[in-house]
Amino acid sequence: MMRSDTLQRVAEIVMVLGIVALCQPWNFFLHRYGLTIILIGLVTFLLTNWFGSKVVTEDDDVLPEEGRP
């Protein structure tokens, strides 16, 4: 199983490739399914954000003290 941050990066790349496929004029198949490719990347990105594991560091638990930079 892929880690959620790796799958999130793949989803970002798929969305960018969908935009490229939508904007290129040479291949009608890629132009026709460019929006579908973008939507698949978007749904994958949203699901990895929704179900991805959240890493909590020790610094997040400590409240900052007032008066210290």
Side-chain angles (χ1 to χ4, degrees):
M1 188 82 183
M2 293 178 71
R3 292 178 40 179
S4 64
D5 57 344
T6 306
L7 190 58
Q8 193 173 35
R9 181 65 60 183
V10 169
E12 291 172 357
I13 293 170
V14 168
M15 285 188 284
V16 169
L17 290 176
I19 292 170
V20 170
L22 192 61
C23 294
Q24 61 82 31
W26 302 287
N27 192 338
F28 183 66
F29 178 80
L30 288 177
H31 181 74
R32 179 179 227 171
Y33 291 106
L35 184 62
T36 306
I37 295 169
I38 295 171
L39 290 176
I40 289 170
L42 179 66
V43 168
T44 305
F45 184 80
L46 290 173
L47 289 176
T48 55
N49 274 338
W50 187 275
F51 295 114
S53 61
K54 299 291 182 191
V55 177
V56 177
T57 61
E58 294 177 13
D59 295 338
D60 292 341
D61 296 335
V62 179
L63 294 174
E65 297 180 19
E66 290 186 31
R68 289 196 167 176

